[in-house]
Every structure is written in C-alpha cells, then in structure tokens.
C-alpha cells in the first residue's frame, strides 16, 4: 500500500523558534541597518534547509557576523533578554578559521536547536560568530550572568560538544562588564 | 512541561532525510 508514513512527511518541530541574522560591516550605513534577519525557523528540516543554503561562516568577508537567537531576542546586549546575561567566548586563531570554525559553529547550532543544555536550555539566548582578520570569535549568549552554576554547566557542555580539550580554558563575560569597553580590557566573570 | 530535545546524531540523521 502506498500510504505515506506520517513520520516521513511531518516536519520535526523544535522546542523554540529561532531567527538567523546576518551582519555586514558597511561603514556607509547605520549600524542597525547592517543587521538583518535572514529567516526564522522552528523545525529541524527548515534549519537544515537554511544551513545547507547559506555560505559557511569561514567564507564570509571579514567584519561579518552570523547570529542565531531565539525568536524575539535581538543579537545585541542591549536587548532586554540579553542585558542581564553574558557570553561564553571562544577566540580562534587565524589558522582555525579553516580547521575549526565551521565545525564549531555547526555544533553550537545543533546544541541550540536541539535544546542540548538540558534544564539550562531556558537560559540560552543565542549564539554569534564574528569573522575578523585578527581572529574569529564564537559566542554563546546566556540570559542571566548571576546564575553561576547554570552558566558554568552551559560552558562545560559547550566545550564538550565542540571537543575543546579540557586544558583549554574558555571565559564568560557579563555584558554589563563589557558594555562600552574595549574587548581586551574585559575581565572574565568565570572560566571553565 | 516536556521539552523537545534532539541529540546531535538525531539532527545529523535528519539532515539527509528527503
């Protein structure tokens, strides 16, 4: 009988809806005009449709960002849902753009959409990858920097998912500490 | 309530489904 198995036709729903953003550093335009939503998605199939048809992060021009955030949260610390939070930051060296960047970004996205942070998944806002000549950066943004245990567990799960060796330390920066300061002077709230 | 969770292997498996 040619009755279709529903499993093969129904898209697999995600716990959350997500928006993928693109930022291109066009100095001739206002910063906010350079930041746009590519699309939103709330199923596994739509995620793959999007991911398979967008340029890999490693091939973006310098100065560009990709961000994937829960629908309703803008990829900026000023957003009410980001303000009290912070980000786990992974700094890549120049050679890691070709060796690690795309894998790190995909593994991070799979953790996001699959709710891979267990009971702490509600504390996740989104993730951003910044393509920069001086070294690319990947950030996982959380909702509340004061939730220390939850934030540390999120950091450990991120390292585990990206196969970051335990001896490599990553740092968590609270947005309230970084707002308006040059990147290098910022002190990590904690590390794992 | 219940949470819809997909582990990495399930998501990769669904990457290639039609």
């Amino acid at each position: 009988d040619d009755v279709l198995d529903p499993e093969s036709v129904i898209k697999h729903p995600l716990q959350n809806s997500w928006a993928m953003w693109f930022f291109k550093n066009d100095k001739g335009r206002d910063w906010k005009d350079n930041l746009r939503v590519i699309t939103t998605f709330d199923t596994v199939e739509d995620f793959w449709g999007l991911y398979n048809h967008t340029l890999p992060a490693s091939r973006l021009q310098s100065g560009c960002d990709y961000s994937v955030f829960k629908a309703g949260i803008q990829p900026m610390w000023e957003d009410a849902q980001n303000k009290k939070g912070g980000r786990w930051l992974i700094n890549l060296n120049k050679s890691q753009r070709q060796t690690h960047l795309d894998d790190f970004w995909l593994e991070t996205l799979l953790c996001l959409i699959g709710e891979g942070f267990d009971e702490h998944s509600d504390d996740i806002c989104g993730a951003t990858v910044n393509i920069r000549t001086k070294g690319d950066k990947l950030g996982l943004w959380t909702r509340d920097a004061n939730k220390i245990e939850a934030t540390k567990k999120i950091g450990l799960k991120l390292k585990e998912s990206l196969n970051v060796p335990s001896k490599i330390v990553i740092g968590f920066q609270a947005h309230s500490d970084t707002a308006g300061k040059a990147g290098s002077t910022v002190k990590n709230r904690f590390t794992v | 309530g219940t949470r819809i969770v997909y582990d990495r292997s399930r998501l990769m498996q669904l990457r290639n489904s039609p």
Side-chain angles (χ1 to χ4, degrees):
Chain A
D1 57 47
D2 56 5
V3 174
L4 270 177
D5 162 20
E7 171 69 19
S8 68
V9 288
I10 295 175
K11 290 185 179 180
H12 294 75
L14 298 174
Q15 175 72 25
N16 284 288
S17 294
W18 299 85
M20 183 160 190
W21 300 71
F22 175 68
F23 173 81
K24 182 175 170 59
N25 195 11
D26 180 344
K27 297 217 168 40
R29 289 152 53 101
D30 178 54
W31 177 75
K32 278 225 165 141
D33 299 335
N34 286 330
L35 179 64
R36 266 164 294 155
V37 176
I38 296 172
T39 189
T40 57
F41 58 90
D42 59 9
T43 67
V44 177
E45 286 76 8
D46 290 347
F47 164 74
W48 284 121
L50 168 66
Y51 183 81
N52 294 337
H53 291 93
T54 39
L55 207 58
S58 58
R59 288 178 39 211
L60 289 177
Q61 269 181 10
S62 195
C64 290
D65 302 346
Y66 276 141
S67 296
V68 171
F69 273 69
K70 284 177 182 169
I73 307 180
Q74 292 189 299
M76 53 186 77
W77 63 266
E78 296 91 337
D79 188 286
Q81 299 191 63
N82 288 324
K83 213 160 203 164
K84 288 193 326 185
R87 63 178 176 164
W88 282 105
L89 191 59
I90 295 182
N91 291 297
L92 288 93
N93 63 43
K94 291 191 173 70
S95 68
Q96 287 174 317
R97 177 177 298 174
Q98 298 317 324
T99 55
H100 289 74
L101 180 65
D102 290 331
D103 289 343
F104 275 9
W105 180 235
L106 176 56
E107 293 302 332
T108 302
L109 294 181
L110 297 183
C111 274
L112 292 184
I113 68 172
E115 303 294 309
F117 296 99
D118 307 320
E119 72 278 16
H120 306 303
S121 294
D122 290 338
D123 288 322
I124 298 294
C125 294
T128 295
V129 61
N130 313 118
I131 307 307
R132 302 292 182 272
T133 38
K134 59 184 188 318
D136 303 330
K137 289 180 291 187
L138 191 143
L140 179 66
W141 291 39
T142 66
R143 196 178 291 280
D144 186 347
N146 296 321
K147 292 174 79 168
I148 295 170
E149 278 323 305
T151 303
K152 280 186 176 176
K153 288 209 175 95
I154 288 169
L156 286 168
K157 175 69 188 205
L158 178 65
K159 274 181 76 170
E160 181 196 311
S161 304
L162 271 52
N163 290 319
V164 174
S166 53
K167 63 179 177 2
I168 303 280
V169 172
I170 62 172
F172 181 85
Q173 299 173 349
H175 295 311
S176 54
D177 296 345
T178 58
K181 294 195 190 65
S184 56
T185 61
V186 175
K187 206 170 68 61
N188 291 322
R189 274 293 177 87
F190 24 84
T191 58
V192 288
Chain B
T2 56
R3 183 189 303 276
I4 303 172
V5 177
Y6 296 91
D7 64 24
R8 184 192 185 281
S9 53
R10 179 64 175 141
L11 291 170
M12 293 306 279
Q13 191 186 34
L14 289 170
R15 181 175 196 175
N16 308 316
S17 67

